[in-house]
Amino acid sequence: GHGSFSNDPKLNSVVGHLLHSSILVPYHGWRISHRTHHQNHGHVENDESWHPLSEKIYRSLDTLTRTLRFILPFPMLAFPFYLWNRSPGKSGSHFDPSSDLFVPTERKDVITSTLSWTAMAAILVGLGFTMGPMQLLKLYGIPYWIFVMWLDGVTYLHHHGHEEKLPWYRGKEWSYLRGGLTTLDRDYGWINNIHHDIGTHVIHHLFPQIPHYHLVEATEAARPVLGKYYREPEQSGPLPFHLVGSLMRSLKKDHYVSDTGDVVYYQTDPELKKNDS
């Protein structure tokens, strides 16, 4: 989806559809919205993935939704629901070619991906009848939800949970560089190699076309150039248990940002914090 797998867009598309459909993700729908995320990261309104809620949108949510959004494990189950409905305050679906996520020239691509997703869903239904629903749950359903929780957790932690508050921008204060520099690198210990060093997230945001096998090398080269603007990740043991604390602290504190201002920081809803404790 980042275009770094191959220089041939058709090959990217074929491999992308096979891999994404297998995990129930519409390839082009996700590719396009993720491109929007990369192009607008750090912008309060225009970012697409785990962006902050403005106070007005936050207050418009019912109490149950507000509570579940910030209490584990519910935020870590969000990805498939995001694909269908996006985030609060945004409308449209990754499956709908007429969604405002897409321009008219992208609609054929979206239809192709939605049909591929539908074919995968039909295969799963067929497997359910063939092997039984419990066997399908064990072989596909549970691994799928583990994948969803890991994906949501990793994505969230690349943009939240630093010890110091990180800014979000509006208007002329936002720029591609400033937005990219508010992403966070994370160390996942042994898992770094399993998911292709995506913990080197700052350089990935600034240059998303860099293939995963050059991300560590590129980060080492960029670190002295970025200087104080690069935030060193906390070193992990063999398994990244330290990130559980970062995740929980952020969910307890990072609830919404002000409706006004061009440089804003997360604020905490004291009522939600009181209920959580």
Side-chain angles (χ1 to χ4, degrees):
H2 297 90
S4 60
F5 177 75
S6 169
N7 290 327
D8 184 347
K10 291 183 179 179
L11 181 58
N12 275 331
S13 183
V14 170
V15 176
H17 276 97
L18 290 172
L19 296 178
H20 284 72
S21 298
S22 72
I23 51 174
L24 294 176
V25 176
Y27 170 68
H28 282 306
W30 173 85
R31 175 185 64 80
I32 294 165
S33 76
H34 195 69
R35 180 188 64 200
T36 301
H37 165 60
H38 269 273
Q39 291 174 339
N40 296 279
H41 178 262
H43 193 290
V44 175
E45 284 79 24
N46 296 343
D47 200 351
E48 183 60 34
S49 178
W50 284 116
H51 62 90
L53 302 181
S54 68
E55 184 172 7
K56 181 179 179 181
I57 292 174
Y58 176 82
R59 300 294 180 193
S60 71
L61 302 177
D62 61 78
T63 303
L64 180 61
T65 301
R66 259 185 285 174
T67 302
L68 294 182
R69 184 176 175 86
F70 297 101
I71 294 181
L72 292 174
F74 296 101
M76 302 301 101
L77 302 173
F79 184 57
F81 302 99
Y82 161 73
L83 291 175
W84 282 102
N85 294 313
R86 297 177 75 191
S87 304
K90 294 181 182 289
S91 60
S93 169
H94 290 73
F95 299 89
D96 181 3
S98 63
S99 169
D100 61 7
L101 269 168
F102 317 117
V103 298
T105 55
E106 295 168 332
R107 289 176 180 173
K108 288 184 179 179
D109 286 343
V110 176
I111 291 171
T112 300
S113 296
T114 299
L115 290 175
S116 298
W117 183 96
T118 304
M120 180 62 191
I123 290 172
L124 291 175
V125 171
L127 288 173
F129 282 108
T130 303
M131 65 176 61
M134 290 307 298
Q135 187 74 349
L136 181 64
L137 178 65
K138 287 188 287 184
L139 295 178
Y140 186 89
I142 293 174
Y144 170 77
W145 282 110
I146 292 173
F147 149 72
V148 165
M149 294 180 72
W150 182 256
L151 176 68
D152 274 324
V154 164
T155 306
Y156 183 93
L157 285 167
H158 285 156
H159 306 95
H160 305 79
H162 198 263
E163 291 76 12
E164 63 178 278
K165 286 193 172 185
L166 300 181
W168 287 80
Y169 302 103
R170 291 186 175 102
K172 293 181 179 179
E173 289 293 334
W174 179 88
S175 70
Y176 180 84
L177 179 60
R178 295 186 85 179
L181 290 177
T182 60
T183 61
L184 297 169
D185 278 7
R186 297 290 188 182
D187 183 12
Y188 299 97
W190 288 342
I191 302 176
N192 284 331
N193 290 332
I194 296 174
H195 61 189
H196 309 305
D197 293 308
I198 196 58
T200 52
H201 208 67
V202 175
I203 201 70
H204 169 69
H205 250 280
L206 295 176
F207 305 100
Q209 291 80 20
I210 294 178
H212 66 83
Y213 45 83
H214 286 315
L215 286 174
V216 173
E217 174 189 359
T219 298
E220 291 300 319
R223 183 183 275 113
V225 178
L226 297 176
K228 66 179 182 179
Y229 297 104
Y230 178 77
R231 300 171 182 87
E232 292 285 348
E234 181 180 350
Q235 296 302 297
S236 176
L239 295 175
F241 293 118
H242 68 291
L243 293 177
V244 176
S246 299
L247 176 64
M248 295 183 69
R249 284 193 301 272
S250 178
L251 290 172
K252 288 180 178 180
K253 294 181 180 180
D254 299 340
H255 296 156
Y256 60 84
V257 298
S258 172
D259 295 318
T260 59
D262 288 344
V263 181
V264 294
Y265 297 84
Y266 269 111
Q267 300 180 41
T268 303
D269 180 355
E271 289 298 315
L272 191 64
K273 188 174 182 180
K274 183 169 64 177
N275 294 337
D276 185 41
S277 60

